[in-house]
Amino acid sequence: MTKSQELPVEKLRFTCDEASLAFETTKTVPPLEVMIGQKRAVKAVEFGLFSKSSGYNIFISGRVGTGRITYAENAVRKVSILEGDKRRDWCYVNNFENASQPIALSLAAGLGSSLRHDMQELVEYLKTDIAKIFSGDEYEKAKNDLVKDFQDKRAIVIEEFNREAESLGIQPQWSSTGFTGLPLLEGKVISNEDFQKLEREEREKIEKKALEVHEKAMEVVRMLQHLEREVRDEVKLLDGKVGLFAVGHFIEELKNKYQEYPDVVTYLEAVKQDIVKNIDDFKPKGMDEDQNPFMLFRQGMQEPSKNKYNVNLLVDNRDREGAPVIVEVNPTYYNLLGRVEYENRMGVVSTDYTMIKAGALHRANGGYLILNARDVLSNVGAWEALKRVLKTRKLYIENLGEQYGMLAMASLKPAAMPIDVKVILIGSPQIYYLLYNHDEDFGKLFKVHADFDVQMDNNEENVQKMVGFISSTVQRKGLKDFDRGAVAKVVEHAARLACSQNKLTTRFNEVVELLCEADTWATMDNSIVVSAHHIRKAIEEKRYRANKYEERLQEMFAEGKFLMDTAEEKVGQVNGLAVMAVGEYMFGKPSRITANTYLGKSGIVNIERETKMSGSSHTKGVLTLSGYLGEKYAQNQPLALTASLTFEQTYEGVDGDSASSTELYAILSSLAELPIKQYIAVTGSVNQKGEIQPIGGATEKIEGFFAVCKLKGLTGRQGVMIPYQNVDELTLNDEVVDAVREGEFHIYPVKTIDEGIEILTGTPAGEKRADGSYADGTVHALVKRKLKAYMDTLIKIGKSAEGDKA
């Protein structure tokens, strides 16, 4: 093993050059105003926002903390201002022909509030001025004239009838119950007894005249009823004229004011006609009626007639700048589509158009609506309702219970409102592909997909943008200023979060958490600025809060409960490395891998697979080893080999192929009978050609083995062997880097199994000669000799068995 095989210190992690940061503290750094690291997603969102065609709604996917929601809000608000004034106010007003179907009115922003105020003034005017007009002398005189004319006509008719009846010998008697005719004899009323004493002929003559008078009386009654109807109509016509005179000019002024809106003008005309039609509602009420308890009960049951002229201002955009941008954090069915509320009046549930409440789609009409996809999908009826609105471009306010057949009751059916809204859904990639594959409408309605990445290139431009992001976060959250060293440490930690020296994380939420926690430690340290040691402190303390289970494992290694040799050399035994995750915290866990080889035909026996503890990826990795052994050693003879492999002291499932090279090293060591250095741990996948393939979690694995070596004592020989492709992914902590710098720990990148076995055994792997043989003393020569011995033994046993049988 030569020094040139080791990885130099400068390649163990990304180091941010403080000299490239031209500032002392973030106080002088201009804040970031653009999105960084999401060029593809930003272009997709911008295209979706400016596209006006139907169906170009946007789905933004990505991991939590990548700035999806913040960017979406900022981008949409900028576009909404650039689009100009598209704001509209929406109102619901009474439908005087069918009160159960309120009418929707659309006006320019601010005019909805103006219309509501104008109608409130009209109602106040109806309550006061019309009552005064009907209480005035002019109206009373005109009404009295009509009544007097009726009374004069009535008196004339009755007087003529009375004269005619008396001429026939009948005296008419009028009462509240009707007409009665009394017979006259010599000009005097005779009693019933005297009438019975008259001669029969005389009585019949009087009865005939009485019947004639009674028939004429019925004609008079009908004539009087007709006169009453006429006077009532004339009074009503007078009331209408007075009412029209009172409100006509007011309504005409409103018509002129809203002449650009035909629907509003039509509504105002309907208001005028309804006022004239129901003018009695505005006359002063008598004291008897006001104090009648039955009338009070009736008023409690019924809405006052004057309220039907109120305007329900559903959407008020007068104070909004640009197109509306709505972020609905609780997208239930009713919060999206609105609702019709009910109230209990005297034990009776009732509603009216003034109790219609707006939903997020109403408020976002003409603009943009931002929703969390998971929240929409988890609320009953919300997703289907949203799709229905986007497909029909109309919004109906309906009761959810009626749609599912759970409830049927008389309710309002407000007129449908035309909808022009662009929806931005935010969710995970899994939700996007789930909807795309299983919802036939999704691809038609959400044609723009913006996928936020979790990392960006680590270059000078993005480093400077990261500095601007730190400055803007400091200003936005009121944190202490960060000095140059602190900013450099944050950038280095961003590389660690991205698991690459060539990338920086775009999970800005985790960066913000680090900034806030470092600010807290600086405050506790009574420091006026945040320095590099505060960043290190924040990282260490966050790790300490989460690494309880890692410490428990370290204690078990220290106590010898987990067997791990970090100093000796042993045959068929290698220290492998795995990664464990507890919530958001990941750490490396060394594991002993052993291999035993012996004569047989079973090939490689994976004990984890046999006990059903092996995952599919791990099983594939083990089967790959058979291909390597066959290609390397069985070109001229079959493999007479059984090799058992296992992860020692593993009591849970094993998956992944990152230990396949480690398992191969253990088999080669067992066959060649060469001891492997236990102080060098191994990770890496291998293919059938013996090439080492990259794995994940290289940083955590190295730090995990270093922690065990530190517990057992650093000897200066310990280290980790990794695939060379993972070198640029190393972001090791200060402790490991310092140990490598001091020569107490080593990192070995390898490309092939041959390189790895030479490092682990100190023996040359050997080059294959033209005749297929290897130089004596090399690893492959020793392995091949052992396999040939197995085969010779197997042949000998076979011949012996045949001899015995003969």
Side-chain angles (χ1 to χ4, degrees):
M1 189 187 324
T2 64
K3 191 70 176 176
S4 62
Q5 292 175 294
E6 295 183 32
L7 198 64
V9 174
E10 56 270 15
K11 291 190 176 182
L12 299 182
R13 68 176 181 187
F14 164 70
T15 302
C16 182
D17 184 9
E18 293 187 26
S20 66
L21 306 178
F23 59 89
E24 292 300 323
T25 69
T26 52
K27 187 174 184 179
T28 60
V29 177
L32 182 72
E33 297 181 354
V34 296
M35 188 68 183
I36 60 174
Q38 304 291 354
K39 183 178 179 181
R40 181 179 287 102
V42 167
K43 291 187 69 174
V45 172
E46 289 178 350
F47 169 76
L49 292 178
F50 283 101
S51 176
K52 304 305 176 188
S53 301
S54 175
Y56 281 83
N57 299 293
I58 305 169
F59 192 105
I60 300 178
S61 64
R63 287 185 59 178
V64 175
T66 53
R68 299 167 301 168
I69 297 178
T70 302
Y71 169 72
E73 288 189 50
N74 293 337
V76 169
R77 294 189 191 283
K78 289 179 182 178
V79 173
S80 70
I81 295 175
L82 293 175
E83 286 188 344
D85 194 358
K86 295 174 60 178
R87 299 171 299 156
R88 305 289 292 179
D89 287 347
W90 287 90
C91 310
Y92 271 113
V93 295
N94 191 22
N95 185 344
F96 298 105
E97 294 182 0
N98 188 348
S100 65
Q101 298 179 1
I103 300 171
L105 300 178
S106 174
L107 302 94
L111 288 183
S113 175
S114 176
L115 177 62
R116 179 177 64 178
H117 180 263
D118 290 338
M119 296 306 294
Q120 287 173 345
E121 284 191 343
L122 174 62
V123 171
E124 292 300 320
Y125 177 78
L126 294 174
K127 290 179 180 178
T128 57
D129 290 27
I130 287 187
K132 292 180 181 178
I133 291 175
F134 281 107
S135 301
D137 295 337
E138 292 184 5
Y139 172 76
E140 287 297 328
K141 182 177 182 304
K143 183 178 179 180
N144 290 337
D145 289 344
L146 292 175
V147 174
K148 185 175 182 303
D149 183 61
F150 164 74
Q151 291 175 342
D152 291 343
K153 291 180 179 179
R154 182 176 183 277
I156 292 172
V157 170
I158 292 176
E159 184 177 352
E160 289 179 355
F161 171 75
N162 289 344
R163 284 199 301 268
E164 186 176 356
E166 289 177 357
S167 67
L168 293 174
I170 302 296
Q171 181 175 328
Q173 295 287 329
W174 296 93
S175 66
S176 58
T177 58
F179 167 79
T180 303
L182 301 177
L184 295 174
L185 186 62
E186 297 179 357
K188 294 182 180 180
V189 177
I190 61 175
S191 64
N192 188 44
E193 294 178 356
D194 295 336
F195 177 75
Q196 294 298 329
K197 294 177 180 180
L198 296 177
E199 296 292 334
R200 178 178 178 182
E201 294 181 359
E202 185 68 17
R203 289 200 308 271
E204 290 178 353
K205 183 178 179 181
I206 293 174
E207 289 176 352
K208 184 177 180 181
K209 291 180 179 180
L211 180 61
E212 183 180 350
V213 169
H214 188 271
E215 290 177 354
K216 290 183 178 294
M218 292 301 99
E219 292 179 5
V220 169
V221 169
R222 286 191 291 270
M223 188 180 300
L224 292 178
Q225 290 175 344
H226 178 70
L227 290 175
E228 287 181 2
R229 283 195 297 270
E230 285 185 348
V231 75
R232 279 199 299 269
D233 292 341
E234 289 177 357
V235 170
K236 191 171 184 179
L237 182 62
L238 173 64
D239 291 346
K241 290 180 179 179
V242 172
L244 186 60
F245 173 78
V247 300
H249 68 283
F250 198 104
I251 297 292
E252 292 304 317
E253 289 179 4
L254 294 182
K255 285 184 179 180
N256 292 332
K257 182 176 179 179
Y258 300 102
Q259 59 183 341
E260 297 181 6
Y261 304 96
D263 290 343
V264 178
V265 173
T266 302
Y267 165 69
L268 291 172
E269 179 63 27
V271 170
K272 183 176 73 173
Q273 297 300 328
D274 189 76
I275 291 174
V276 172
K277 180 180 178 181
N278 300 285
I279 197 68
D280 288 342
D281 294 339
F282 306 98
K283 292 181 179 179
K285 298 294 188 294
M287 289 297 296
D288 293 341
E289 183 176 333
D290 287 342
Q291 295 176 359
N292 189 331
F294 295 100
M295 288 301 298
L296 293 176
F297 176 78
R298 183 183 174 191
Q299 291 173 4
M301 292 285 291
Q302 298 178 349
E303 183 181 4
S305 59
K306 305 177 186 65
N307 289 351
K308 62 183 176 181
Y309 305 118
N310 288 336
V311 172
N312 181 0
L313 182 55
L314 201 70
V315 179
D316 186 2
N317 282 319
R318 56 183 163 171
D319 298 326
R320 191 182 300 278
E321 182 180 0
V325 179
I326 303 300
V327 180
E328 180 54 62
V329 297
N330 184 25
T332 64
Y333 175 88
Y334 291 115
N335 285 352
L336 282 178
L337 275 73
R339 72 183 72 204
V340 177
E341 294 185 342
Y342 297 84
E343 66 178 357
N344 191 324
R345 296 177 181 173
M346 306 292 288
V348 178
V349 176
S350 62
T351 187
D352 60 64
Y353 74 96
T354 63
M355 300 175 71
I356 301 173
K357 304 301 179 183
L361 285 165
H362 293 102
R363 298 193 300 273
N365 199 7
Y368 305 88
L369 176 60
I370 301 175
L371 302 168
N372 184 289
R374 186 176 182 276
D375 293 340
V376 175
L377 293 171
S378 61
N379 280 290
V380 177
W383 174 243
E384 292 299 327
L386 177 63
K387 289 195 302 177
R388 185 163 56 249
V389 171
L390 294 178
K391 285 190 290 186
T392 63
R393 303 177 72 85
K394 290 183 179 181
L395 175 54
Y396 294 88
I397 300 179
E398 298 175 310
N399 189 304
L400 183 61
E402 292 181 359
Q403 291 194 27
Y404 288 92
M406 295 183 296
L407 179 66
M409 61 182 297
S411 181
L412 300 181
K413 293 190 178 298
M417 187 176 292
I419 291 294
D420 178 19
V421 63
K422 189 173 289 292
V423 176
I424 297 93
L425 279 181
I426 298 175
S428 66
Q430 292 84 354
I431 291 179
Y432 173 81
Y433 291 112
L434 179 69
L435 292 172
Y436 189 87
N437 292 324
H438 298 284
D439 191 320
E440 61 182 10
D441 298 321
F442 180 74
K444 300 176 183 178
L445 298 176
F446 291 86
K447 297 180 179 179
V448 180
H449 179 207
D451 192 11
F452 271 53
D453 202 349
V454 295
Q455 58 185 17
M456 60 184 174
D457 291 337
N458 185 355
N459 52 38
E460 182 62 27
E461 179 185 359
N462 283 340
V463 168
Q464 295 302 325
K465 288 181 178 179
M466 179 66 77
V467 173
F469 173 76
I470 294 171
S471 175
S472 62
T473 303
V474 168
Q475 293 185 20
R476 186 175 70 253
K477 292 189 171 291
L479 307 179
K480 298 179 186 296
D481 290 316
F482 284 57
D483 66 19
R484 184 163 39 193
V487 172
K489 285 296 179 185
V490 173
V491 174
E492 292 174 5
H493 188 67
R496 181 179 175 95
L497 292 174
C499 300
S500 174
Q501 299 176 18
N502 302 324
K503 301 290 183 179
L504 296 175
T505 186
T506 55
R507 290 178 288 167
F508 298 110
N509 185 55
E510 296 188 34
V511 177
V512 171
E513 288 179 5
L514 176 61
L515 299 179
C516 294
E517 291 176 16
D519 175 80
T520 301
W521 289 113
T523 301
M524 296 172 65
D525 197 29
N526 295 321
S527 176
I528 60 175
V529 296
V530 179
S531 301
H533 68 275
H534 296 128
I535 300 296
R536 284 193 292 268
K537 179 73 171 176
I539 295 172
E540 292 169 359
E541 290 295 330
K542 183 174 183 178
R543 179 174 180 270
Y544 176 74
R545 294 195 296 269
N547 74 343
K548 180 178 70 173
Y549 295 104
E550 182 185 21
E551 285 191 355
R552 295 289 185 271
L553 283 174
Q554 299 297 333
E555 289 175 3
M556 297 179 77
F557 280 118
E559 296 167 357
K561 295 177 180 177
F562 271 125
L563 301 180
M564 181 64 55
D565 191 346
T566 61
E568 303 297 330
E569 297 182 8
K570 294 186 178 180
V571 175
Q573 180 174 301
V574 188
N575 288 330
L577 298 171
V579 174
M580 299 187 69
V582 180
E584 63 178 355
Y585 182 67
M586 297 175 60
F587 60 92
K589 175 184 178 294
S591 297
R592 174 178 289 179
I593 298 175
T594 60
N596 287 332
T597 56
Y598 44 91
L599 179 64
K601 296 182 180 180
S602 300
I604 299 176
V605 177
N606 177 8
I607 293 179
E608 274 73 30
R609 179 186 177 186
E610 297 301 319
T611 57
K612 298 182 179 180
M613 294 173 61
S614 175
S616 57
S617 296
H618 179 250
T619 300
K620 176 187 175 184
V622 174
L623 292 176
T624 301
L625 305 185
S626 298
Y628 172 84
L629 293 174
E631 193 272 340
K632 200 78 172 177
Y633 307 114
Q635 296 299 313
N636 301 318
Q637 63 182 29
L639 287 175
L641 169 69
T642 297
S644 64
L645 284 171
T646 187
F647 279 72
E648 303 290 358
Q649 292 186 289
T650 299
Y651 308 106
E652 54 191 13
V654 176
D655 203 3
D657 65 347
S658 65
S660 57
S661 68
T662 313
E663 294 166 326
L664 183 54
Y665 292 135
I667 292 174
L668 295 178
S669 168
S670 178
L671 288 171
E673 298 182 6
L674 291 173
I676 284 180
K677 299 168 183 176
Q678 302 301 296
Y679 42 85
I680 297 179
V682 181
T683 184
S685 172
V686 66
N687 61 26
Q688 294 188 112
K689 300 299 182 181
E691 297 170 328
I692 301 299
Q693 301 174 145
I695 44 81
T699 295
E700 290 79 7
K701 291 176 178 179
I702 293 173
E703 291 175 352
F705 186 67
F706 175 81
V708 173
C709 292
K710 184 179 176 183
L711 281 174
K712 293 182 174 290
L714 294 174
T715 63
R717 298 188 299 170
Q718 292 131 333
V720 175
M721 196 163 65
I722 65 171
Y724 79 98
Q725 301 99 320
N726 290 113
V727 169
D728 63 353
E729 297 178 356
L730 296 180
T731 54
L732 296 170
N733 59 35
D734 293 341
E735 191 175 20
V736 177
V737 172
D738 292 341
V740 173
R741 184 180 292 111
E742 297 297 327
E744 295 182 340
F745 201 73
H746 313 274
I747 310 296
Y748 305 101
V750 294
K751 295 183 179 180
T752 64
I753 286 294
D754 288 357
E755 290 181 15
I757 198 65
E758 289 181 358
I759 293 173
L760 291 172
T761 63
T763 302
E767 293 290 334
K768 191 174 186 179
R769 297 169 177 169
D771 61 355
S773 64
Y774 295 91
D776 290 340
T778 61
V779 174
H780 294 312
L782 295 172
V783 171
K784 200 162 187 179
R785 185 173 66 186
K786 174 63 73 70
L787 291 174
K788 186 177 184 306
Y790 283 164
M791 191 63 204
D792 291 343
T793 302
L794 188 61
I795 293 173
K796 189 180 296 184
I797 293 173
K799 289 181 178 180
S800 175
E802 288 180 0
D804 292 342
K805 183 177 180 181

